[in-house]
Amino acid sequence: MIQIKIISTEETFPIRLEVLRKNIPLPFEFNGDFDSDTIHLGAFKNDKLIAVSSYMKATNKNFEGSHYQLRGMATLTEYQGFGAGKLMLEQAFLILKEKSIDILWCNARIAAVDFYKKQGFQTFGEKFDISFVGEHYMMFKKLNS
Ligand SMILES: CC(C)(COP(=O)(O)OP(=O)(O)OC[C@H]1O[C@@H](n2cnc3c(N)ncnc32)[C@H](O)[C@@H]1OP(=O)(O)O)[C@@H](O)C(=O)NCCC(=O)NCCS
């Protein structure tokens, strides 16, 4: 069984590094990582941390209302496809709705776009390039409608 828990900023770092930063010379620490309104979620299987994701207050001029940005969504390769990512997002939707946040948005790697679509996100605008990582779409999900 997979359990979702709030974790510390530092607990996200090893999985971010392994899954998102292999051969990618970009920081694994994000602006806002240590802000008091930032939320980090971890997925645990038999007490082992197998996936992480972070949620930061970040205004996006493309959307109305109040916004959070999803960053650092990553599941260890050997545990991908077992529901950890989906369960973390479901928990995040509940927490952010409770805070009356209207929109959760992210910059999604092309390979992850269909994963986000399955969780109710839509793409916004044209695809764009992020150096060293590749093509992305901005994606968003309305939380309070
Ligand atoms: C994208 C990622 C976070 C998904 O996490 P996960 O724990 O494997 O996802 P889940 O097991 O919760 O998948 C939920 C559903 O999405 C599907 N899915 C997962 N990854 C998918 C992908 N890349 N494309 C399409 N569908 C995907 C699953 O099959 C599952 O479908 P189902 O509900 O019909 O069974 C994970 O594959 C990952 O870490 N990838 C590498 C890093 C990355 O690209 N992160 C996103 C950066 S923007």
Side-chain angles (χ1 to χ4, degrees), residues 46-65:
N46 300 328
D47 292 329
K48 178 184 164 67
L49 183 60
I50 60 162
V52 297
S53 55
S54 301
Y55 306 84
M56 283 123 177
K57 206 166 203 299
T59 302
N60 183 319
K61 62 178 172 20
N62 296 304
F63 308 119
E64 296 190 340

Side-chain angles (χ1 to χ4, degrees), residues 32-47:
D33 254 346
F34 290 93
D35 289 359
S36 58
D37 44 18
T38 291
I39 300 151
H40 302 283
L41 294 181
F44 292 81
K45 191 167 170 46
N46 300 328
D47 292 329

Side-chain angles (χ1 to χ4, degrees), residues 19 73-75 80-86 109 111 114-116 118:
V19 180
M73 166 67 73
T75 301
Q80 287 175 9
F82 290 100
K86 178 180 176 173
R109 295 180 182 195
D114 287 344
F115 162 73
Y116 290 118
K118 277 197 163 175

